[in-house]
């Protein structure tokens, strides 16, 4: 499972190949005649940004060579396409307060948002755009109804729920009881099991363990850490949630025990726990899907006892990472060999954790909130875990408003026939984050 870094959060920085070295309000040069010419140049280039974002002109036609060297045209086009997919077509330049200079703040109106940032041109390169930094998006004119329509239009099966954790009508909901594959979001159940044992005094976040073998496969980095490296439970949990480290996850399942994690899933109120019996490690999932077809078929057909027999000793098989990676290159594979929960189950898990988990678990969930900064300030707390594999995507947030009320957002998407465009669901998530509370 690969960790999810929501596209809009990272795209803002991608268009900043050169750090701004002067205040956006700087006026240059002072000569009035030149300033008028530069005003014309900056306004012209700003208007061309609109066309650039819509894919109507080529990046090489308006950007300096140093810009395209650091952000290649293909990357810029991908970024622009992601933005227009999320916010609609770029319409016009809404603000350019320092139009008489070579550098200014800029606001660009999209169909569903206003993008704000900065722009600069280089008079020595025919006034081409040398800097463009989009720092935030302010959502405008969006509604739950529009968002629901866009979710329902995604190919495959979609389940979602967004609303207050402790009662009340959801803002958005469709098939919240449907069991959906989770990808790495299952790691929340591992965190819940650990945090409950810490709260009960059975363990301490500072307890130290050594990294054993075998290791899992990426995502993550701990598969490459030294043998017997000493790490705390807090480090393992943080790596598991913040960067979706699979080796950290399997180490924690080993410490806690497979049965203890499954018991946590049951106790949290999961509506169909048998779907997760036995509770897989990430290495086991990878080896099942990349291994012999007969072994996979036996696991798929078997009950919990047969599945345990298949898993017996499986994690010790020495399988090259290249073979595992190759198995996942051709689209979805055996999506019934996964971890499952409904949106309602994940909301129940959040309630269970609020009641039983040591509070540090929520700090760990908040390390990587996967939200735009402009939306993050709307919430007093944001905790996140997502998960994916070809054909599977889940995004789950626990959000606390400034009045102390918890909300849960769960978005699950499955398509057994094709890989998913993660940016499409991530874009919709950002729109949900920005809805009025």
């Amino acid at each position: 499972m690969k960790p999810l870094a929501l596209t809009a959060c990272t795209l803002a920085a991608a268009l900043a190949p050169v750090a701004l070295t002067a205040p956006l309000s700087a006026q240059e040069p002072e000569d009035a005649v030149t300033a008028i010419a530069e005003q014309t140049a900056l306004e012209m280039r700003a208007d061309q940004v609109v066309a650039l974002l819509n894919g109507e002109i080529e990046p090489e036609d308006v950007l300096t060579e140093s810009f395209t060297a650091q952000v290649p045209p293909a990357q810029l086009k991908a970024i622009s396409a992601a933005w227009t997919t999320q916010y609609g077509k770029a319409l016009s330049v809404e603000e350019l307060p320092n139009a008489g200079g070579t550098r200014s703040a800029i606001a660009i109106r999209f169909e569903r948002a206003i993008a704000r940032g900065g722009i600069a041109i280089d008079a020595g390169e025919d006034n081409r755009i040398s800097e463009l930094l989009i720092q935030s998006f302010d959502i405008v004119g969006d509604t739950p109804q529009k968002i629901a329509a866009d979710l329902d239009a995604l190919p495959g099966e979609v389940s979602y729920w967004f609303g207050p954790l402790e009662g009340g009508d959801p803002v958005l909901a469709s098939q919240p009881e449907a069991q959906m594959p989770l990808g790495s979001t299952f790691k929340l159940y591992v965190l819940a099991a650990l945090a409950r044992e810490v709260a009960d005094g059975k363990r301490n976040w500072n307890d130290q363990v050594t990294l054993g073998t075998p290791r899992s496969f990426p995502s993550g980095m701990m598969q490459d850490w030294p043998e017997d490296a000493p790490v705390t439970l807090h480090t393992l949990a943080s790596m598991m949630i913040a960067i979706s480290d699979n080796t950290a996850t399997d180490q924690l399942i080993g410490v806690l025990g497979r049965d203890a994690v499954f018991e946590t899933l049951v106790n949290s109120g999961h509506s169909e726990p048998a779907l997760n019996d036995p509770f897989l490690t990430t290495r086991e999932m990878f080896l099942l899907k990349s291994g012999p077809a007969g072994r996979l078929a036996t696991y798929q057909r078997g009950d919990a006892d047969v599945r345990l027999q298949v898993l017996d000793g499986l994690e010790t098989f020495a399988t090259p990472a290249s073979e595992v990676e190759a198995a996942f290159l051709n689209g979805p594979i055996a999506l019934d060999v996964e971890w499952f929960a409904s949106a309602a189950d994940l909301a129940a898990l959040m309630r269970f954790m609020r009641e039983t988990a040591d509070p540090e678990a929520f700090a760990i969930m908040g390390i990587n909130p996967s939200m735009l900064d402009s939306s993050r300030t709307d919430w007093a707390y944001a905790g996140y875990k997502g998960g994916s594999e070809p054909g599977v995507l889940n995004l789950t947030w626990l959000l606390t408003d400034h009045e102390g009320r918890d909300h849960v957002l769960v978005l699950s998407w499955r398509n057994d026939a094709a890989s998913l465009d993660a940016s499409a669901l991530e874009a919709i998530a950002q729109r949900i984050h920005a809805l009025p509370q």
Side-chain angles (χ1 to χ4, degrees):
M1 289 74 54
K2 295 181 179 179
L4 296 178
L6 290 185
T7 305
C9 295
T10 55
L11 292 182
L15 285 179
V18 181
L20 298 179
T21 56
L24 292 177
S25 60
Q27 295 283 341
E28 50 181 286
E30 296 180 356
D31 180 80
V33 176
T34 308
I36 291 172
E38 288 182 341
Q39 179 183 16
T40 303
L42 189 59
E43 288 180 337
M44 178 191 70
R45 294 304 187 187
D47 286 339
Q48 288 178 330
V49 169
V50 175
L52 179 66
L53 293 173
N54 290 328
E56 297 167 355
I57 57 177
E58 293 298 316
E60 299 93 331
D61 293 339
V62 295
L63 305 177
T64 62
E65 290 184 5
S66 62
F67 194 130
T68 55
Q70 296 185 63
V71 183
Q75 180 184 358
L76 182 63
K77 289 179 179 180
I79 292 168
S80 300
W83 281 344
T84 53
T85 297
Q86 181 169 356
Y87 302 113
K89 184 179 180 179
L91 301 177
S92 62
V93 176
E94 187 127 318
E95 298 175 14
L96 194 69
N98 188 31
T102 59
R103 186 187 302 276
S104 178
I106 189 171
I108 300 172
R109 178 64 182 255
F110 288 72
E111 290 177 327
R112 294 189 294 272
I114 297 175
R116 300 186 186 278
I119 184 174
I121 59 176
D122 188 338
E125 290 195 41
D126 193 27
N127 292 314
R128 288 172 176 264
I129 297 168
S130 58
E131 301 171 22
L132 181 62
L133 173 63
I134 302 301
Q135 296 170 307
S136 66
F137 287 87
D138 298 332
I139 306 298
V140 295
D142 217 351
T143 67
Q145 293 75 22
K146 291 179 181 179
I147 292 172
D150 289 343
L151 284 167
D152 295 339
L154 294 172
E157 183 180 358
V158 179
S159 167
Y160 52 89
W161 195 92
F162 175 51
L165 184 59
E166 298 299 339
D169 294 332
V171 178
L172 291 162
S174 178
Q175 301 193 82
E177 304 294 338
Q179 291 294 322
M180 300 288 284
L182 299 179
S184 284
T185 302
F186 89 90
K187 295 168 184 177
L188 289 173
Y189 286 102
V190 182
L191 179 65
L194 173 61
R196 186 177 189 181
E197 292 198 1
V198 172
D200 291 344
K202 296 180 180 179
R203 301 185 190 276
N204 189 290
W205 293 110
N206 293 325
D207 289 349
Q208 191 175 97
V209 298
T210 56
L211 282 181
T213 56
R215 308 289 175 84
S216 189
F217 305 92
S219 58
M221 61 175 66
M222 296 187 81
Q223 71 276 357
D224 299 321
W225 282 23
E227 182 69 18
D228 294 329
V231 291
T232 66
L233 297 181
H234 193 285
T235 297
L236 290 174
S238 297
M239 297 287 279
M240 174 179 71
I241 299 299
I243 67 168
S244 208
D245 194 294
N246 291 327
T247 291
T249 304
D250 289 0
Q251 295 285 314
L252 282 175
I253 293 174
V255 169
L256 297 164
R258 190 196 307 270
D259 291 343
V261 180
F262 181 73
E263 181 182 357
T264 295
L265 181 143
V266 173
N267 291 339
S268 71
H270 194 290
S271 56
E272 295 187 50
L275 294 173
N276 300 286
D277 189 11
F279 198 92
L280 288 168
T281 66
T282 67
R283 181 176 175 85
E284 288 168 341
M285 188 279 286
F286 283 123
L287 294 179
L288 282 170
K289 294 195 179 191
S290 63
R295 183 172 66 198
L296 176 61
T298 299
Y299 188 88
Q300 290 172 302
R301 293 193 302 263
D303 59 15
D305 290 336
V306 170
R307 290 181 172 191
L308 273 175
Q309 292 175 19
V310 173
L311 296 180
D312 185 26
L314 177 63
E315 65 176 14
T316 63
F317 286 16
T319 302
S322 58
E323 289 186 16
V324 174
E325 182 179 355
F328 288 82
L329 293 178
N330 298 317
I333 176 172
L335 297 190
D336 56 334
V337 180
E338 252 276 358
W339 302 266
F340 287 85
S342 68
D345 291 335
L346 289 169
L349 175 62
M350 295 299 101
R351 282 191 290 270
F352 179 77
M353 290 183 68
R354 281 300 196 197
E355 295 168 358
T356 66
D358 183 87
E360 188 64 17
F362 302 105
I364 290 170
M365 286 177 60
I367 294 173
N368 176 18
S370 288
M371 297 178 74
L372 290 173
D373 290 343
S374 56
S375 296
R376 179 66 187 86
T377 57
D378 293 335
W379 300 96
Y381 168 81
Y384 167 79
K385 187 72 193 80
S388 69
E389 68 164 294
V392 172
L393 185 59
N394 175 276
L395 312 175
T396 295
W397 282 268
L398 175 64
L399 304 166
T400 307
D401 63 28
H402 290 286
E403 296 183 4
R405 297 171 298 189
D406 282 334
H407 304 254
V408 172
L409 169 58
V410 178
L411 301 174
S412 289
W413 185 11
R414 172 179 182 168
N415 190 338
D416 292 69
S419 295
L420 306 178
D421 178 8
S423 64
L425 191 64
E426 294 162 2
I428 293 174
Q430 299 297 347
R431 291 165 60 192
I432 296 172
H433 294 157
L435 288 173
Q437 298 175 29

